[in-house]
Amino acid sequence: MATPWRSAMNTIGIIGAGQIGRAFATALAAKGIPAVIANSRGPETLSALVAEMGPTIRAGTRDQAAAQDIVLVAVNWSKLPAALAGLPDWAGRVVVDANNPIEAPLFKPIPLGNRSSSEVVAGLVPEARVVKAFNHLQAHLISSDPAGDGGKRVLFYSGDDADAKAQVGTLIDQLGFFGIDLGPLAIGSRLVQFPGGPLPALNLVKIG
């Protein structure tokens, strides 16, 4: 069972300030959970965003966001290599893969061979413990009240490291969602991968 979230022991970074990164930051801010958010253009470009979210969310550099204990990555697929290149050793920190192998304006699936998108991401963050989460819901469902539909909105997650999944599961619980562990990364990430997986965009609610 997930233990209560203790922000003093688990810091959070966000790489990417697009729809999913902003939605995740909004959900954290609503619960008073501190985080550092970064984009490719520098922290000064995020001043309006962090002012809107309140004092628990601050803008930082990419290196500052990546230095946190749990780091959510949500950027356009084609920009992932550049977003993650040149960062210090991940040293076992948790990377939450919230990416999908598709992007505007064409919305054509990116060919990945036999790998899932999360396995590709894992190759870009050596020594990190990767957990797939927060990619399968539309952004407005992540940032809105997860209890707004009469129960707890479901969030799926998967990964190969039990402790990393427990940390992400605890965070999901603290945000008010109902987390469901889909198992190992190679299996669970394919179920929520968009396009191709059966679970993306489903707004499921746990009643009772």
Side-chain angles (χ1 to χ4, degrees):
M1 178 177 293
T3 56
W5 176 261
R6 292 175 288 178
S7 60
M9 296 181 64
N10 296 279
T11 57
I12 298 176
I14 305 168
I15 296 178
Q19 290 186 352
I20 296 298
R22 288 171 183 247
F24 181 64
T26 299
L28 294 173
K31 297 295 184 179
I33 299 174
V36 180
I37 187 169
N39 63 8
S40 60
R41 295 173 293 160
E44 64 280 355
T45 66
L46 296 171
S47 56
L49 174 67
V50 295
E52 175 185 330
M53 291 188 176
T56 60
I57 307 299
R58 65 182 179 90
T61 64
R62 185 180 61 122
D63 282 39
Q64 288 171 334
Q68 307 308 309
D69 301 322
I70 298 175
V71 184
L72 179 126
V73 179
V75 301
N76 288 337
W77 186 261
S78 62
K79 297 179 179 178
L80 265 174
L84 297 172
L87 291 170
D89 193 326
W90 287 94
R93 294 194 304 283
V94 178
V95 169
V96 178
D97 169 26
N99 304 280
N100 286 309
I102 193 169
E103 61 183 69
L106 298 179
F107 295 104
K108 289 185 177 180
I110 307 296
L112 302 174
N114 293 324
R115 294 185 295 174
S116 70
S117 61
S118 288
E119 290 172 303
V120 174
V121 171
L124 298 173
V125 288
E127 306 304 322
R129 297 179 292 163
V130 176
V131 176
K132 185 72 169 184
F134 293 98
N135 74 298
H136 65 89
L137 286 177
Q138 295 175 333
H140 74 275
L141 296 176
I142 295 173
S143 60
S144 61
D145 182 3
D149 292 324
K152 283 189 174 183
R153 185 165 293 120
V154 170
L155 260 176
F156 299 107
Y157 61 103
S158 59
D160 297 329
D161 185 280
D163 177 69
K165 284 200 294 186
Q167 291 185 50
V168 175
T170 295
L171 176 57
I172 287 171
D173 290 344
Q174 183 65 24
L175 292 176
F177 293 91
F178 184 80
I180 295 179
D181 183 352
L182 294 179
L185 197 65
I187 296 174
S189 68
R190 292 178 191 272
L191 295 175
V192 296
Q193 182 173 299
F194 179 79
L199 299 176
L202 293 179
N203 181 18
L204 303 178
V205 175
K206 169 69 166 58
I207 304 295

